[in-house]
Amino acid sequence: GENVEQHPSTLSVQEGDSAVIKCTYSDSASNYFPWYKQELGKRPQLIIDIRSNVGEKKDQRIAVTLNKTAKHFSLHITETQPEDSAVYFCAASRSSNYKLTFGKGTLLTVNP
Amino acid sequence: NAGVTQTPKFQVLKTGQSMTLQCAQDMNHEYMSWYRQDPGMGLRLIHYSVGAGITDQGEVPNGYNVSRSTTEDFPLRLLSAAPSQTSVYFCASSRVLNEKLFFGSGTQLSVL
């Protein structure tokens, strides 16, 4: 089955700096790559996703890049704010099965 | 719309007891799933369903049963609780797989 590795497990940045979280996946047939944000004590919420026919996607301060050849994808957050502090999860799945596999998460702390 | 409703929010069981975690969605979603979240382990798929009457196993199905008699409901049954099942459980649904997952608020389960 699919295996998703996520790095780093913790990340601390100063407010205004950029943050980058990286994930690798094992199944070359995977074609859907979402990112979820989970604030402390809350449920995960989708912040951005990308499909395998696209190399990059942006939404305001958040962007995701995908390298299918290397089987890795990354989340980029620019101009970080304290409210960006949360655990971020990457995930991967393919159309032919119904299993979304998550990475182990990255705890992002944005220091004011 | 209520979205995904999960009950109970907290539960304490003794080893060997059984219980059912309830999950309901009012968005007419085809896809429903159960995840468990343990510290440092991310979200791991227990069981999923792609429609009424159709269920299948995820990554960690042992000790759990599911059924999907209606589109709206997807209960998770613990047959004989074990301390290893102490975790936070999330129900999630989406219109189809490979679209935004909507999570319930979670159930914190402790098995003593």
Side-chain angles (χ1 to χ4, degrees), chain B residues 18-104:
Chain B
S18 62
M19 79 158 295
T20 300
L21 279 64
Q22 301 291 344
C23 176
Q25 52 87 13
D26 61 359
M27 298 173 280
N28 201 32
H29 284 172
E30 284 188 1
Y31 182 82
M32 297 187 74
S33 54
W34 278 100
Y35 286 87
R36 61 177 287 172
Q37 184 174 30
D38 302 292
M41 297 297 292
L43 293 148
R44 292 184 291 170
L45 182 65
I46 304 171
H47 285 285
Y48 65 92
S49 169
V50 298
I54 306 169
T55 64
D56 205 346
Q57 297 180 349
E59 182 184 354
V60 288
N62 293 341
Y64 307 95
N65 271 1
V66 292
S67 60
R68 183 108 179 258
S69 56
T70 67
T71 300
E72 294 78 20
D73 300 299
F74 190 46
L76 178 72
R77 297 182 185 84
L78 280 70
L79 309 172
S80 177
S84 61
Q85 294 178 304
T86 293
S87 188
V88 178
Y89 291 84
F90 285 100
C91 178
S93 74
S94 63
R95 192 176 65 88
V96 293
L97 184 66
N98 295 352
E99 287 193 0
K100 177 181 177 179
L101 268 179
F102 291 81
F103 283 84

